[in-house]
Amino acid sequence: MFRSVRWPPVAAERDQRIGDLAQILKGEQTPDARTQALVALIQATGHTQKLVGEPSGLSRHEATKRAKEIAAGDWASSAVKEAITQAEGAIAATMIAVGVVTVGSS
């Protein structure tokens, strides 16, 4: 329904970022502002464990807990979560409207 262009990251850069995220979630590295915002975004979308994965050595609970702690210190995390919630609501409303129009025109 919606077209989008995906620009896959360079594998080495992606792997480096995921490695950095794993170290940050383990407490081995301190996040900078950019990475803290990234952790907040990942936490707000609920993809912490999916992105970092089990090889990091963290359980789902540990990864989520640490991501929440990091996101709590980020000034943008609440705005990110609110924007995601609003976008999800808008998409749901659009899908309902499309369904009503489709059923109504049958």
Side-chain angles (χ1 to χ4, degrees):
M1 179 172 205
F2 299 103
R3 293 180 183 230
S4 65
V5 176
R6 294 187 80 182
W7 301 99
V10 176
E13 182 180 340
R14 182 195 63 219
D15 293 345
Q16 178 64 41
R17 288 282 173 217
I18 291 173
D20 289 346
L21 288 173
Q23 287 183 333
I24 288 166
L25 292 177
K26 288 181 188 179
E28 297 172 355
Q29 184 176 332
T30 304
D32 58 7
R34 180 178 177 192
T35 309
Q36 191 174 12
L38 180 60
V39 170
L41 178 62
I42 293 167
Q43 189 275 325
T45 59
H47 288 88
T48 305
Q49 187 60 24
K50 182 178 181 181
L51 201 67
V52 177
E54 290 294 331
S56 68
L58 294 171
S59 70
R60 166 178 247 131
H61 176 72
E62 291 170 327
T64 303
K65 180 182 175 191
R66 179 72 175 130
K68 284 181 182 180
E69 291 170 358
I70 293 168
D74 182 30
W75 62 271
S77 62
S78 61
V80 167
K81 188 167 189 156
E82 183 178 337
I84 290 169
T85 302
Q86 289 178 358
E88 289 173 344
I91 290 169
T94 301
M95 297 307 289
I96 290 170
V98 168
V100 168
V101 170
T102 303
V103 171
S105 65
S106 296

